[in-house]
Amino acid sequence: MEKDSNLPIEGAIVVVLKTKQVLMSNSEGKVIFELKGGSNIKVTHSSYLPLIIKWASLNLPENVIYLNSKLNTLDDIVVTKQHPQEIIKELVNNSIKRLNVPARLKAYSREFFKLNGNYAYFNDGLINFQLYKDQKKVKSVLLVEQNRSFGLVDDEISTDLLGYNLNVSMEKYYVFTVLRPLLDEKIRKKYNFTVKVYPLNQEYNEITASPLEGTTELLDDFKIVYDVNRKLIIEINTEVSPITLAGLKEDSSKGSKNIIRSVFKTNYRVDGENYYLISSKEEINYEINTGNETKNIEVLNNLITTNFNIQNYTYKESDVFKDKTLFNIKNSILTDYWNVSGLTPTAKELEIINEIIKSF
């Protein structure tokens, strides 16, 4: 909870120092975990002062932790000789060099799928990514520990439209593909760029890039938070604004997709000499013309790294998951892994999950 406002804090990183387990608070500000033996807890957030909690003080079934804000009330604009686009290029290049590869990420993935406004499908799983470089390109090997998929999907909706390709997504996160459009020299004429001190943490700066008024192209709004001294990207937010969407011409041809909402967010963690992806959130909502009718598709995917290690996995080739999405894998449930997943569902999310499972 935020100390001054008593409001919940979403996206706080909670680390069990003994086991290095990582969790992230949900929109209700909650995390659930079990302490087996004594271990202090470290809580961090880019907008709040870090806090270490003695394990002995966590003596209630539910414990409330308060964080102090780093809020800077001044909206300080940064004057720089470099064009913001050049700063972004430097940040991308330096961040790619600093990200730990090879490395392995133990992660929890969760996905909701809506068809015509109704929740039709749910998937989550415990997965392992082995990251390595092949001819200077970042590659990912995916191994699935446990997985559950529930729901019914319309036969006319291709499985290619379901779910995010996790290997492809991870490789994109590690080369900052989402920022590539901003690196194009021609884009300067299409965007307004601003650099200012990040209002929630004076150690960070924030670059915003917004399409010029009157654009008729599908262009994202960008916000990039970065560590000024280390020159490392900490957070990326992109969203197609309602203003931009209002200026787009609707395509009514068969197979066409018309975007209604598009949101993307990634967070990266600096832990000593280690620098790695800690979480991602992707949301897409669009209408697709199937020829017979127009259908509304909405997919929401969350990923959180629950454990990071620079050691390589030992695995057999037969254990590697080579399909596109977890939607295409059979259920493999060995434990109640979702209860200690690292991302506790909110009351509303839990209600949705239970309804989908029940209907299946």
Side-chain angles (χ1 to χ4, degrees), residues 12-58:
I13 301 300
V14 179
V15 181
V16 182
L17 295 178
K18 183 176 181 179
T19 63
K20 303 299 183 183
Q21 181 187 6
V22 179
L23 308 102
M24 186 171 69
S25 62
N26 62 21
S27 59
E28 295 175 337
K30 294 181 179 179
V31 295
I32 296 178
F33 61 94
E34 182 179 354
L35 274 180
K36 296 180 179 179
S39 174
N40 291 343
I41 308 298
K42 185 175 183 179
V43 184
T44 60
H45 191 287
S46 61
S47 304
Y48 297 87
L49 296 172
L51 181 66
I52 293 182
I53 304 157
K54 301 288 186 181
W55 71 274
S57 67
L58 301 173

Side-chain angles (χ1 to χ4, degrees), residues 10-13 24 44-47 99 105 170 173-174 176 198 204 223 225 233-237 264-270 275-281 302-305:
E10 182 178 6
I13 301 300
M24 186 171 69
T44 60
H45 191 287
S46 61
S47 304
L99 281 166
L105 307 179
M170 185 59 69
Y173 298 154
Y174 267 65
F176 302 95
Y198 186 45
Y204 297 159
K223 184 179 78 172
V225 179
I233 294 170
I234 301 298
E235 181 180 307
I236 301 171
N237 290 271
F264 173 94
K265 180 177 181 178
T266 50
N267 289 88
Y268 297 83
R269 183 167 188 246
V270 181
Y275 174 53
Y276 57 94
L277 177 85
I278 193 68
S279 68
S280 70
K281 178 181 179 180
N302 287 94
L303 183 78
I304 175 171
T305 298

